[in-house]
Structures are given as C-alpha cells and as structure tokens.
Amino acid sequence: MYSETLLRRRALVAVGWLVLGLLGLLDVFAGREPDYRWTSWLPIVSGPFACAALLWPDRGPKMQVRALLVAAGSLALTVGIVVFAGPDGAGTWGVLEGVALLVLLSRAVWAVPRPRTAAAVSAALAVAAIAIPLRWLPRDIQNDSQTAINWCLLMTLGAGTALAWGLRARLLEEQRARDIAAVRQRQRLELAHDLHDFVAHHVTGIIVQANAALTLQHTAPEQVGPLLENITRSGSETLDSMRRLVRVLREDDHADVRPGEVWAELARLVSAFSEDEADVQLQVAAAAREARLAPEVETSVHRVVQEALTNVRRHAPGAVVAVRVDTDGARLRVEVHNTAPAAGRPGPVGGRGGFGLVGLRERVEAVEGTLTAAPTDDGGWRVTATFPVLAAVAGSPA
C-alpha cells in the first residue's frame, strides 16, 4: 500500500506525461505547412529534445546543465531560422518546446541549489522561451504582421507565471527546511533536559557508593573492589551520555521518566490511551525488562511509544494497536503497529508533511538508535525503533 502523498505524486506524473504526449502529437499533425520546407519539421526534433531534458533522471546531468543546454539550443535554433531561413522558410515553433521551456524555467528556479546559479539559468530559459515566437519574424516583416510580437508578449506572461510558481515552491521548500531544523533543535533541548536529570541521578549514586567504600575500607575491604568497579562503570556511562548531547541546552516544563521505571511508565501510557476505547496491547519481553538501558535511552523509548500512539489517535481512530518491546541481539527493539482506521480515514499515521517523525528520528539517532516508519500491507502503519543496550554488571545500581 502506498501513502496518499505518493499516489498523488504518481498521478501528477502520469497526467504530465499524457499532456506532453498530446502536445507532441499536436506539433506533428497540426503544425505542418509544406511552404516552410525543412523548418516546418523542426519542432518534431526540438520539442522532444526539450522534453527529454525535463524528464531526465536526477542521477544524470545536473538540472542546471540540462536547462542551459536546452536554452542554448533553443536560442541557436531561433537565431538560425531568423537569419538563414528567410521569409518563405520562417520556421514554426512547437507547443511542446514552449511548454517544456516554461516548465524547465519553473523547475530551475526551485531545484537549482545556489541562488546565483538559479538566477542565471532561469534568465537563460526565460530569454529562450520569450524569443521562440521570433521565428515568425521574417514572415511578419514580409506580410506587415505583428504575430511574432504578440506571441512574444504571451510567452512573457507565461515565463512570469512559471517564475512565480518556481519561486513559490523554492520558498516553501526553504520554509520546510527551517521547520525541520526547528523541530530537531526542540528535540535536542528536550533530550538535554533529560540528560541533566539522569546525570544527576548517576552522580548521586556514585557519591553514595564512594561514601560506602570509605566506610568499608577498614571493616570489609573485600567489598571495596566491587564498589569501585561500579563507580567506574557509572562514571563511564554518564560521560558517554554527556558526550552524545554536549551541545544541547535545557528546556523547562518537561515530564520526567525516572530511571528504571520506563516499563511502568509505558504501562501507564498505554492504559491512558486505552481509556479512549482504543484496542491497544502492550507486550514487554522478559529479556527487555532485564536489559540495562542508559537513562536517555529509557526516555527515548517512552517518547517513541508516546508519539506513535498520539499519531494513531490523530490519523487512525478505531485502529487496533500493538506495542511490542523485545531485545534483538545487543539492541532493544520497540515496535508500534496499528491496523487501518475503522472509519477508513486516509493518510499515513506519520502525518501529511508533518514533522513529528523528523523530531522523533533526531531524538532516537542522538542516543545511537535507529527509527523507521512505513505503511503495512493491511493498510496500517508501523513504527520501529532500536536502541543500544548496556552491558550487564553484577551489583550495578543502574
């Protein structure tokens, strides 16, 4: 099953191919005039050439290179017809070539990364598109007509429209990039808040064990070694957490997940979700309960389940939800799967163009985890996250 966005995109591509095909047929069957000799057949070549540059895969030549080649070829063809063809051989220009140039103009404004390069490429395409009707100029001079000038004005309007559309798409893309950056920054701040609380917890444990070692060094010296090993391990884990998040700041008013209570918090979270008459099950394997997790991993596990359930409530009301937690080798695996919404509501649980999964992925990757989200064959959605598991240490308080 494909998401609604992917289906819409494929439908638009199919419509685009159909329109371009019809325009090509129009050039072949409706634009031929024998008096124009060889120039009358030029659109059959120039149109598909411009169309090929438009539809060429992204793994080929860059967008700006293809656009400049099309602009240069179209301008050269226009100049050649005006200069060498003469009034009786003034070549026609194809609708497919003109439309392809305008679409290329819009895409160049949107897709070329550097603003100066985008401006130069767009200017070349705009000049080529506006100059195409000048291929009629020799005939207009002979017949005292203004057909070429009128069509140039119409192509100027088309170029302006294509330019405005491309600028709109570019601004929307830049705004989306800023929104994604803001979401990632917010997640970093939330994770930094958790780091502050859990580092304080570890440091408190280190101090307690150090005081115990001082007390036992004379009465029970054989117990000092294990205590010192635990102090070393706790200190190393705390430093690892700080290194992963050293550049983030703290955000206020954040709900805490206490160390070692993540499974109880998940049970409360699922219970609260079930109060809305939703069918949700929580399965935590014994191996997962026995696994040692870093504090920031515990809070990230809680956040993954919380975000996934929130999206189920928003986008798939009435769906059956299963939350499963288990170990997979040296990693913890968290999976939230929901069936299709009972009301047949369209759209993936990840949201349409939203940034919930973007921020969630940022949080998971910050603690050396992975996150995937994808539709399932039954019409539902599955969110899967994996996290690192700490090595077991006998007597460790963590």
Side-chain angles (χ1 to χ4, degrees), residues 234-244:
S234 297
S236 299
E237 293 174 357
T238 304
L239 287 176
D240 290 340
S241 299
M242 293 177 64
R243 290 190 185 101
R244 282 193 288 262

Side-chain angles (χ1 to χ4, degrees), residues 53-384:
L54 174 64
L55 300 176
W56 199 271
D58 292 336
R59 61 179 178 270
K62 293 183 179 179
M63 178 66 193
Q64 52 266 38
V65 176
R66 303 198 306 267
L68 286 175
L69 287 175
V70 171
S74 179
L75 282 173
L77 192 59
T78 300
V79 172
I81 290 175
V82 171
V83 174
F84 300 106
D88 295 335
T92 60
W93 56 281
V95 180
L96 180 59
E97 180 183 356
V99 171
L101 279 172
L102 294 179
V103 177
L104 271 173
L105 170 60
S106 181
R107 285 195 60 187
V109 175
W110 163 55
V112 177
R114 296 182 180 179
R116 292 184 178 179
T117 305
V121 173
S122 302
L125 288 169
V127 171
I130 295 172
I132 283 183
L134 294 178
R135 298 174 188 179
W136 283 337
L137 189 59
R139 186 186 62 177
D140 287 350
I141 294 175
Q142 186 182 46
N143 299 331
D144 195 18
S145 173
Q146 293 185 346
T147 303
I149 301 301
N150 293 336
W151 276 98
C152 282
L153 293 176
L154 183 61
M155 290 299 293
T156 301
L157 179 61
T161 303
L163 180 64
W165 187 264
L167 284 174
R168 174 183 176 273
R170 189 181 187 96
L171 291 176
L172 289 176
E173 188 68 23
E174 291 177 354
Q175 181 62 44
R176 178 177 176 82
R178 288 193 293 268
D179 291 340
I180 291 176
V183 170
R184 289 176 172 173
Q185 180 64 12
R186 185 164 61 250
Q187 289 297 327
R188 292 188 182 105
L189 299 182
E190 291 179 357
L191 203 53
H193 183 189
D194 298 335
L195 176 65
H196 174 275
D197 296 335
F198 291 131
V199 166
H201 166 77
H202 274 295
V203 171
T204 301
I206 291 173
I207 294 175
V208 170
Q209 293 181 84
N211 290 333
L214 289 174
T215 303
L216 295 174
Q217 64 177 338
H218 299 296
T219 58
E222 70 280 359
Q223 298 182 15
V224 174
L227 286 174
L228 293 179
E229 291 179 359
N230 289 339
I231 290 174
T232 301
R233 177 58 61 92
S234 297
S236 299
E237 293 174 357
T238 304
L239 287 176
D240 290 340
S241 299
M242 293 177 64
R243 290 190 185 101
R244 282 193 288 262
L245 302 167
V246 69
R247 294 183 179 179
V248 298
L249 302 174
R250 178 174 180 172
E251 182 181 14
D252 295 332
D253 301 328
H254 176 69
D256 293 330
V257 178
R258 298 192 178 196
E261 297 184 3
V262 61
W263 311 126
E265 292 293 336
L266 285 186
R268 282 191 286 268
L269 183 64
V270 170
S271 177
F273 186 81
S274 301
E275 292 177 359
D276 297 335
E277 301 181 357
D279 186 2
V280 55
Q281 298 179 349
L282 173 64
Q283 300 177 3
V284 181
R289 294 182 181 275
E290 296 173 358
R292 293 180 63 248
L293 304 176
E296 66 274 13
V297 169
E298 291 185 356
T299 190
S300 297
V301 169
H302 183 272
R303 181 57 59 86
V304 166
V305 177
Q306 183 182 51
E307 182 71 21
L309 293 181
T310 300
N311 284 334
V312 171
R313 180 183 289 112
R314 183 181 306 156
H315 300 287
V320 178
V321 187
V323 180
R324 301 183 181 88
V325 185
D326 202 349
T327 56
D328 184 7
R331 298 184 72 82
L332 184 79
R333 178 185 174 90
V334 181
E335 178 183 291
V336 181
H337 170 255
N338 67 275
T339 60
R345 190 171 179 176
V349 174
R352 298 184 189 89
F355 304 106
L357 290 178
V358 174
L360 195 62
R361 182 172 288 107
E362 180 73 15
R363 164 180 279 269
V364 172
E365 291 178 353
V367 297
E368 300 180 0
T370 61
L371 178 73
T372 58
T376 57
D377 294 336
D378 60 359
W381 197 261
R382 179 181 287 109
V383 177
T384 305

Side-chain angles (χ1 to χ4, degrees), residues 10-41:
R10 292 197 170 189
L12 290 175
V13 171
V15 171
W17 274 100
L18 179 61
V19 171
L20 292 175
L22 292 176
L23 292 178
L25 292 176
L26 180 65
D27 287 341
V28 172
F29 295 106
R32 306 284 64 78
E33 296 186 34
D35 292 343
Y36 289 167
R37 303 173 186 173
W38 58 273
T39 56
S40 179
W41 297 94

